[in-house]
Amino acid sequence: MPFTLATWNINSVRLREPIVCKLLAEEGPDVLCLQECKSPVDKIPRAQFAELGYTHMVARGEKGYNGVAILSKLPIEEASAQDFAGLGHARHIAGRLENGVTIHNFYVPAGGDVADREVNEKFGQKLDYLTDMRDWFRNERPERAILVGDLNIAPREDDVWSHKQLLKVVSHTPIEVEHFHDVMEAGDWHDVTRADIPEGLLYSWWSYRAKDWDAADKGRRLDHVWATGDIRAAGHSSRVLRHARGWEKPSDHAPVFASFDL
């Protein structure tokens, strides 16, 4: 069953419902994973999405913060929802398709502004969250699984606009990248996006602070699509829908796509 999947940190699903609908109407992925929905589940505008064919949803939400949802044209049932690091945040939801593939949708904590857990509690929470992800995948080894989301880490030198300038900036520090790779190894996860686009600068996030984000192009690749080793060869056609960052009232993230023949 071939299907196309997209992941997008939407930064408020209710505020940006028009551009979610625009993406669904124009691009038509079979599955759309959203992060930072900032909405209780019962306030997500499901009716508008259902009109476009997305009649299935699994989600976790909270008022004003965090929140993850999987919208799908395909039947999907909830498979898991974990609270890593004991934060009590809505940051993970997993759904299982009828073909047995499990899709994990994550919103990893951003980690604050200072890359030192001794002075910045949020950075410590981020590292603990990633450690708990690692341990969970070690204990419950995933199979026939896809992991997507805003992982808030740009691991490679060409995933940021300046490797040297961002080495001490949260999202690109060596300790975060180490934790990132520990999670990958624990679950036998493989980077679908970079398997398709192995070389060159590639970003999915541009700060709101830039007056002209496109011209400045100081981006980071914070949004990821992974697959377990048993289905990694099924992934293809990866792309970042960069121009969506310029839509009216945009998120600061762009959607990331991949297709799977399963």
Short mmCIF file of all heavy atoms in Angstrom, two decimals, residues 29-57:
data_model
loop_
_atom_site.label_atom_id
_atom_site.label_comp_id
_atom_site.label_asym_id
_atom_site.label_seq_id
_atom_site.Cartn_x
_atom_site.Cartn_y
_atom_site.Cartn_z
N PRO A 29 -1.33 14.79 1.05
CA PRO A 29 -0.68 13.62 1.63
C PRO A 29 -1.73 12.68 2.23
O PRO A 29 -2.79 13.14 2.68
CB PRO A 29 0.21 14.22 2.72
CG PRO A 29 -0.48 15.49 3.10
CD PRO A 29 -1.05 16.02 1.81
N ASP A 30 -1.45 11.40 2.24
CA ASP A 30 -2.39 10.46 2.85
C ASP A 30 -2.44 10.64 4.36
O ASP A 30 -3.48 10.44 4.99
CB ASP A 30 -1.99 9.03 2.50
CG ASP A 30 -2.09 8.77 1.01
OD1 ASP A 30 -3.21 8.77 0.49
OD2 ASP A 30 -1.03 8.61 0.37
N VAL A 31 -1.30 11.01 4.93
CA VAL A 31 -1.18 11.19 6.38
C VAL A 31 -0.45 12.50 6.65
O VAL A 31 0.57 12.78 6.02
CB VAL A 31 -0.41 10.02 7.02
CG1 VAL A 31 -0.25 10.22 8.52
CG2 VAL A 31 -1.08 8.68 6.73
N LEU A 32 -0.98 13.30 7.56
CA LEU A 32 -0.31 14.53 7.99
C LEU A 32 -0.14 14.50 9.50
O LEU A 32 -1.11 14.41 10.24
CB LEU A 32 -1.13 15.76 7.59
CG LEU A 32 -0.59 17.11 8.10
CD1 LEU A 32 0.82 17.39 7.57
CD2 LEU A 32 -1.54 18.25 7.75
N CYS A 33 1.11 14.58 9.93
CA CYS A 33 1.44 14.62 11.36
C CYS A 33 1.76 16.05 11.75
O CYS A 33 2.63 16.69 11.16
CB CYS A 33 2.64 13.72 11.65
SG CYS A 33 2.35 11.98 11.29
N LEU A 34 1.02 16.56 12.73
CA LEU A 34 1.17 17.94 13.18
C LEU A 34 1.75 17.97 14.59
O LEU A 34 1.42 17.12 15.42
CB LEU A 34 -0.18 18.65 13.18
CG LEU A 34 -0.90 18.78 11.84
CD1 LEU A 34 -2.30 19.32 12.05
CD2 LEU A 34 -0.11 19.69 10.90
N GLN A 35 2.58 18.97 14.84
CA GLN A 35 3.12 19.20 16.19
C GLN A 35 2.84 20.64 16.61
O GLN A 35 2.56 21.50 15.79
CB GLN A 35 4.63 18.94 16.25
CG GLN A 35 5.06 17.58 15.77
CD GLN A 35 5.31 17.55 14.28
OE1 GLN A 35 5.83 18.50 13.71
NE2 GLN A 35 4.94 16.45 13.62
N GLU A 36 2.96 20.86 17.90
CA GLU A 36 2.69 22.16 18.52
C GLU A 36 1.30 22.66 18.12
O GLU A 36 1.12 23.81 17.71
CB GLU A 36 3.78 23.18 18.17
CG GLU A 36 3.89 24.26 19.23
CD GLU A 36 5.06 25.21 19.04
OE1 GLU A 36 5.92 24.98 18.16
OE2 GLU A 36 5.13 26.20 19.80
N CYS A 37 0.32 21.77 18.29
CA CYS A 37 -1.06 22.11 17.92
C CYS A 37 -1.67 23.15 18.86
O CYS A 37 -2.59 23.86 18.46
CB CYS A 37 -1.92 20.84 17.93
SG CYS A 37 -1.46 19.65 16.66
N LYS A 38 -1.20 23.21 20.10
CA LYS A 38 -1.65 24.21 21.07
C LYS A 38 -3.17 24.21 21.24
O LYS A 38 -3.80 25.27 21.28
CB LYS A 38 -1.17 25.62 20.66
CG LYS A 38 0.34 25.79 20.68
CD LYS A 38 0.74 27.22 20.32
CE LYS A 38 2.25 27.42 20.44
NZ LYS A 38 2.65 28.79 20.06
N SER A 39 -3.73 23.02 21.33
CA SER A 39 -5.18 22.91 21.40
C SER A 39 -5.59 21.63 22.11
O SER A 39 -4.97 20.57 21.88
CB SER A 39 -5.77 22.89 19.98
OG SER A 39 -7.16 22.64 20.01
N PRO A 40 -6.63 21.68 22.93
CA PRO A 40 -7.23 20.43 23.39
C PRO A 40 -7.73 19.65 22.17
O PRO A 40 -8.09 20.24 21.15
CB PRO A 40 -8.40 20.89 24.27
CG PRO A 40 -8.11 22.32 24.60
CD PRO A 40 -7.34 22.86 23.45
N VAL A 41 -7.78 18.34 22.28
CA VAL A 41 -8.18 17.52 21.14
C VAL A 41 -9.57 17.89 20.64
O VAL A 41 -9.81 17.96 19.43
CB VAL A 41 -8.10 16.02 21.50
CG1 VAL A 41 -8.68 15.17 20.38
CG2 VAL A 41 -6.65 15.61 21.78
N ASP A 42 -10.49 18.18 21.57
CA ASP A 42 -11.86 18.46 21.14
C ASP A 42 -12.02 19.81 20.46
O ASP A 42 -13.09 20.10 19.90
CB ASP A 42 -12.84 18.32 22.31
CG ASP A 42 -12.58 19.33 23.43
OD1 ASP A 42 -11.58 20.07 23.37
OD2 ASP A 42 -13.38 19.37 24.39
N LYS A 43 -10.98 20.63 20.49
CA LYS A 43 -11.04 21.94 19.81
C LYS A 43 -10.32 21.93 18.46
O LYS A 43 -10.33 22.94 17.74
CB LYS A 43 -10.42 23.02 20.71
CG LYS A 43 -11.11 23.20 22.05
CD LYS A 43 -12.51 23.76 21.91
CE LYS A 43 -13.11 24.06 23.28
NZ LYS A 43 -14.50 24.56 23.17
N ILE A 44 -9.68 20.83 18.12
CA ILE A 44 -9.05 20.74 16.80
C ILE A 44 -10.14 20.78 15.72
O ILE A 44 -11.16 20.08 15.86
CB ILE A 44 -8.21 19.45 16.70
CG1 ILE A 44 -7.01 19.51 17.65
CG2 ILE A 44 -7.71 19.23 15.26
CD1 ILE A 44 -6.21 18.22 17.74
N PRO A 45 -9.98 21.57 14.67
CA PRO A 45 -11.05 21.73 13.67
C PRO A 45 -11.19 20.52 12.75
O PRO A 45 -10.92 20.57 11.54
CB PRO A 45 -10.63 22.99 12.90
CG PRO A 45 -9.17 23.09 13.08
CD PRO A 45 -8.86 22.52 14.43
N ARG A 46 -11.64 19.42 13.32
CA ARG A 46 -11.72 18.15 12.59
C ARG A 46 -12.69 18.20 11.41
O ARG A 46 -12.44 17.57 10.38
CB ARG A 46 -12.14 17.03 13.54
CG ARG A 46 -11.12 16.67 14.58
CD ARG A 46 -11.51 15.41 15.33
NE ARG A 46 -11.53 14.24 14.45
CZ ARG A 46 -11.76 13.00 14.87
NH1 ARG A 46 -12.02 12.78 16.16
NH2 ARG A 46 -11.76 11.98 14.02
N ALA A 47 -13.78 18.94 11.57
CA ALA A 47 -14.79 18.96 10.51
C ALA A 47 -14.22 19.53 9.22
O ALA A 47 -14.49 19.00 8.12
CB ALA A 47 -16.00 19.77 10.95
N GLN A 48 -13.42 20.58 9.33
CA GLN A 48 -12.82 21.19 8.14
C GLN A 48 -11.87 20.21 7.46
O GLN A 48 -11.79 20.14 6.23
CB GLN A 48 -12.08 22.48 8.52
CG GLN A 48 -12.99 23.61 8.96
CD GLN A 48 -13.32 23.59 10.45
OE1 GLN A 48 -13.46 22.53 11.06
NE2 GLN A 48 -13.43 24.77 11.05
N PHE A 49 -11.12 19.46 8.27
CA PHE A 49 -10.18 18.49 7.69
C PHE A 49 -10.93 17.30 7.09
O PHE A 49 -10.54 16.78 6.04
CB PHE A 49 -9.18 18.04 8.76
CG PHE A 49 -8.44 19.17 9.42
CD1 PHE A 49 -8.03 19.08 10.75
CD2 PHE A 49 -8.15 20.34 8.74
CE1 PHE A 49 -7.36 20.11 11.37
CE2 PHE A 49 -7.47 21.40 9.34
CZ PHE A 49 -7.07 21.27 10.68
N ALA A 50 -12.00 16.89 7.74
CA ALA A 50 -12.80 15.76 7.23
C ALA A 50 -13.41 16.09 5.87
O ALA A 50 -13.52 15.21 5.00
CB ALA A 50 -13.88 15.40 8.23
N GLU A 51 -13.79 17.35 5.67
CA GLU A 51 -14.35 17.75 4.37
C GLU A 51 -13.35 17.56 3.24
O GLU A 51 -13.73 17.39 2.08
CB GLU A 51 -14.79 19.22 4.43
CG GLU A 51 -16.06 19.46 5.24
CD GLU A 51 -16.45 20.92 5.26
OE1 GLU A 51 -15.80 21.73 4.55
OE2 GLU A 51 -17.41 21.27 5.98
N LEU A 52 -12.08 17.57 3.59
CA LEU A 52 -11.02 17.40 2.59
C LEU A 52 -10.58 15.94 2.49
O LEU A 52 -9.60 15.62 1.81
CB LEU A 52 -9.82 18.29 2.94
CG LEU A 52 -10.10 19.79 2.84
CD1 LEU A 52 -9.01 20.59 3.52
CD2 LEU A 52 -10.24 20.21 1.37
N GLY A 53 -11.28 15.06 3.19
CA GLY A 53 -10.99 13.63 3.09
C GLY A 53 -10.25 13.04 4.26
O GLY A 53 -10.00 11.83 4.30
N TYR A 54 -9.91 13.88 5.24
CA TYR A 54 -9.13 13.41 6.39
C TYR A 54 -10.09 13.09 7.54
O TYR A 54 -10.28 13.87 8.47
CB TYR A 54 -8.08 14.45 6.78
CG TYR A 54 -7.07 14.62 5.67
CD1 TYR A 54 -7.36 15.43 4.55
CD2 TYR A 54 -5.88 13.92 5.67
CE1 TYR A 54 -6.47 15.53 3.50
CE2 TYR A 54 -4.98 14.03 4.61
CZ TYR A 54 -5.28 14.83 3.54
OH TYR A 54 -4.41 14.93 2.48
N THR A 55 -10.69 11.92 7.42
CA THR A 55 -11.77 11.53 8.32
C THR A 55 -11.27 10.78 9.56
O THR A 55 -12.06 10.44 10.43
CB THR A 55 -12.79 10.67 7.57
OG1 THR A 55 -12.11 9.56 6.96
CG2 THR A 55 -13.48 11.49 6.49
N HIS A 56 -9.97 10.53 9.61
CA HIS A 56 -9.41 9.79 10.75
C HIS A 56 -8.39 10.66 11.47
O HIS A 56 -7.64 11.40 10.84
CB HIS A 56 -8.74 8.50 10.26
CG HIS A 56 -9.65 7.62 9.46
ND1 HIS A 56 -10.54 6.74 10.02
CD2 HIS A 56 -9.82 7.51 8.11
CE1 HIS A 56 -11.20 6.11 9.09
NE2 HIS A 56 -10.79 6.56 7.90
N MET A 57 -8.35 10.55 12.79
CA MET A 57 -7.40 11.32 13.58
C MET A 57 -7.10 10.60 14.89
O MET A 57 -7.99 10.06 15.53
CB MET A 57 -7.93 12.73 13.88
CG MET A 57 -6.93 13.60 14.65
SD MET A 57 -7.57 15.28 15.05
CE MET A 57 -8.53 14.90 16.53
#
